[in-house]
Amino acid sequence: MGKGLFGTDGIRGVPGRFPLDDATVVAAGRALGEFVSKENAAGEPRVLIGMDTRESSPHLAARLAAGLASAGARPVSAGVIPTPAVSALVLTGGFGAGAVISASHNPFTDNGIKLFARNGMKFADQIEDQLEVEILSAARAGASGADALTAAGDGPALSADPRFAAEYLALLRARADGEAKLGGLPIVLDCANGAASRLAPELFASLGARVTALNTSPDGRNINAGCGSLHPEAMRRAVVEQGAQLGVAFDGDADRAVFSTAAGRLVDGDGVLYLMARASKAAGRLRGGAVVGTSMTNLGLERALAREGIALIRVSVGDRYVLEEMLRRGSNLGGEPSGHVIFLDDGPAGDGLATALKLAAALVRDGSLEELMRGLVLFPQRITNVPVAQKPPLDSLPDVARLLEQARSSLGEPNRIVLRYSGTEPLARIMIEAEREAEVARWSAAIADAVRAATGGDARTHG
């Protein structure tokens, strides 16, 4: 069964509209509650709920909690907290499952529901498929309408317990194991007016860093607005202007981060994988002799790792697929260019704060980030996002197929072209990578025009 209600990172949409209307969110909570109740027959299962700073998050959390309670599960609130914190605390706290109300890097007008199993991992596709069938079946039968809302009632009052945030910070410090004494390291943190707004500055200051914090005043509508991992320009400027040694830009729920060198050079997830793979191999801690990336991982990283005797294994886009391959191969390092990086020895979720902590420790231990990145030369790459009104199979679009064939021939070797639909937004994504930047730009525009003509929408480009 293909992805429907659930995308590659949970359920996404616009609050108040399907699938984030009240009735469907209650039905989702009920389906999750029934699932964890079956898994925990010995007693009342608990489900940990976290959220980001969107104005719609408290309401959605309350409706999800109402559905959980109607199925015999006990919702417990961690309040505003990073997504990876819920993953970690579900595992350490013996919860039956976890849920995060967040749309990650999307604007405040969107929101979503991310689910975690009791092992701290996102539910496998087959479990999400089962939940989806139950949710949609309830909707078709009318049980997710007025009847479901009446049965769920207002649900239990959700009062955030601040101990969860404290436990998460303690866990991060324990994982650092004393090696991340940052001794006055000047660092700029762009918290995207999101879930990291309070915790990230607190964490780094407690370890001795001299912190300049940007975008730490969420108002419900400014999350990711011209800031954070998708808009790191202000962070990079601040690093250069203030003479900082490292810049970090988180996304709204802090499960990803991108970085800046002291000179303002952007370092994305590919750069993190390069640095950490080399360091782990040198320390004898890189398991499996390989790093897991995705179809979007830059060819330059693949070549740089090969020079170090490290293989790059590619999977489909999505941190869940990176994790699945890591588990299958016995690898302990993997990630995506977007800044999701998984250190499996620490936990099964990408964690922007944990990644930033590791990079900061590497700078203190091994020198400047600019120097550490010197061996990585990335190929020119352009990602073009085309909003779509529908998602017909891409191989059914003849004009697009013709242009793809022409582009591959014109670009020469080596080149990579990846055309896919986003699993979290109504977008078609076109990634082109080759040696000649002008040709990359030309073919990106041409293919985007063809996709737009077939599906509708405007293009947004990231170089």
Side-chain angles (χ1 to χ4, degrees):
M1 163 174 188
K3 286 287 182 186
L5 187 64
F6 286 88
T8 56
D9 200 13
I11 300 171
R12 290 279 176 93
V14 177
R17 303 180 194 170
F18 179 84
L20 294 182
D21 57 288
D22 281 3
T24 307
V25 175
V26 168
R30 177 180 291 166
L32 177 61
E34 291 173 348
F35 177 84
V36 296
S37 294
K38 291 175 184 175
E39 280 202 326
N40 298 270
E44 180 188 43
R46 298 178 304 142
V47 176
L48 184 63
I49 301 177
M51 60 184 172
D52 67 19
T53 57
R54 293 162 215 270
E55 64 179 9
S56 59
S57 292
H59 178 78
L60 292 173
R63 302 320 295 152
L64 188 75
L68 286 164
S70 73
R74 179 157 66 95
V76 178
S77 175
V80 172
I81 200 165
T83 289
V86 172
S87 168
L89 295 169
V90 162
L91 182 59
T92 61
F95 287 88
V100 180
I101 308 299
S102 175
S104 192
H105 57 280
N106 287 25
F108 88 94
T109 49
D110 295 339
N111 216 323
I113 304 171
K114 302 183 181 187
L115 301 181
F116 292 91
R118 61 185 176 183
N119 61 3
M121 296 169 54
K122 291 175 181 175
F123 281 109
D125 283 350
Q126 60 266 32
I127 301 300
E128 287 189 348
D129 289 347
Q130 293 175 23
L131 294 173
E132 182 168 312
V133 168
E134 293 175 15
I135 295 166
L136 296 180
S137 175
R140 283 193 296 269
S144 66
D147 291 344
L149 290 172
T150 300
D154 292 332
L158 280 182
S159 179
D161 188 336
R163 290 178 298 177
F164 290 114
E167 289 176 14
Y168 171 57
L169 291 182
L171 183 61
L172 289 176
R173 295 187 188 102
R175 286 175 179 172
D177 197 25
E179 68 180 30
K181 300 302 182 184
L182 303 183
L185 179 76
I187 184 170
V188 174
L189 304 176
D190 179 349
C191 298
N193 292 311
S197 293
R198 180 178 67 84
L199 298 186
E202 180 180 337
L203 173 66
F204 282 89
S206 73
L207 293 169
R210 289 194 288 113
V211 175
T212 298
L214 309 177
N215 301 303
T216 59
S217 301
D219 63 9
R221 296 190 166 207
N222 59 2
I223 185 171
N224 300 316
C227 58
S229 62
L230 288 187
H231 306 281
E233 298 80 14
M235 177 271 288
R236 294 164 68 186
R237 286 195 303 270
V239 167
V240 174
E241 291 168 359
Q242 299 189 26
Q245 293 300 304
L246 177 66
V248 187
F250 302 102
D251 70 337
D253 68 336
D255 64 351
R256 67 170 72 174
V258 297
F259 302 87
S260 173
T261 70
R265 174 186 173 188
L266 186 67
V267 176
D268 65 5
D270 285 349
V272 175
L273 289 179
Y274 173 71
L275 188 156
M276 292 301 169
R278 294 177 69 217
S280 296
K281 184 182 179 185
R285 294 197 296 262
L286 185 67
R287 290 196 274 114
V291 170
V292 178
T294 74
S295 59
M296 307 297 278
T297 300
N298 196 283
L299 183 59
L301 174 62
E302 184 173 357
R303 292 189 168 189
L305 291 177
R307 290 194 296 269
E308 302 286 337
I310 302 169
L312 175 72
I313 309 301
R314 295 183 186 272
V315 297
S316 298
V317 172
D319 60 314
R320 66 169 60 236
Y321 304 120
V322 172
L323 177 59
E324 287 172 2
E325 183 65 14
M326 292 171 68
L327 293 169
R328 191 184 73 80
R329 297 184 60 88
S331 300
N332 59 349
L333 179 62
E336 302 182 275
S338 62
H340 280 117
V341 180
I342 299 173
F343 300 92
L344 192 54
D345 291 339
D346 291 337
D351 187 329
L353 274 72
T355 303
L357 192 56
K358 288 181 181 293
L359 251 69
L363 266 63
V364 171
R365 183 180 62 244
D366 300 324
S368 76
L369 186 57
E370 196 81 45
E371 182 68 25
L372 293 172
M373 289 290 106
R374 183 163 293 179
L376 177 62
V377 179
L378 299 177
F379 276 59
Q381 183 187 91
R382 181 165 295 213
I383 300 172
T384 304
N385 297 323
V386 179
V388 297
Q390 53 185 335
K391 293 184 177 181
L394 289 166
D395 56 10
S396 72
L397 309 177
D399 290 344
V400 174
R402 175 179 54 81
L403 279 174
L404 287 173
E405 184 176 350
Q406 292 175 358
R408 291 190 175 99
S409 176
S410 174
L411 289 167
E413 292 294 339
N415 76 72
R416 294 196 314 119
I417 302 177
V418 179
L419 176 59
R420 67 181 185 89
Y421 290 118
S422 168
T424 59
E425 299 175 88
L427 298 173
R429 301 198 197 278
I430 305 154
M431 189 281 286
I432 300 184
E433 187 176 273
E435 289 186 316
R436 300 189 302 277
E437 189 163 3
E439 285 290 281
V440 169
R442 181 169 76 88
W443 285 107
S444 294
I447 294 171
D449 286 343
V451 172
R452 187 181 306 109
T455 62
D458 297 322
R460 291 174 282 170
T461 300
H462 302 280

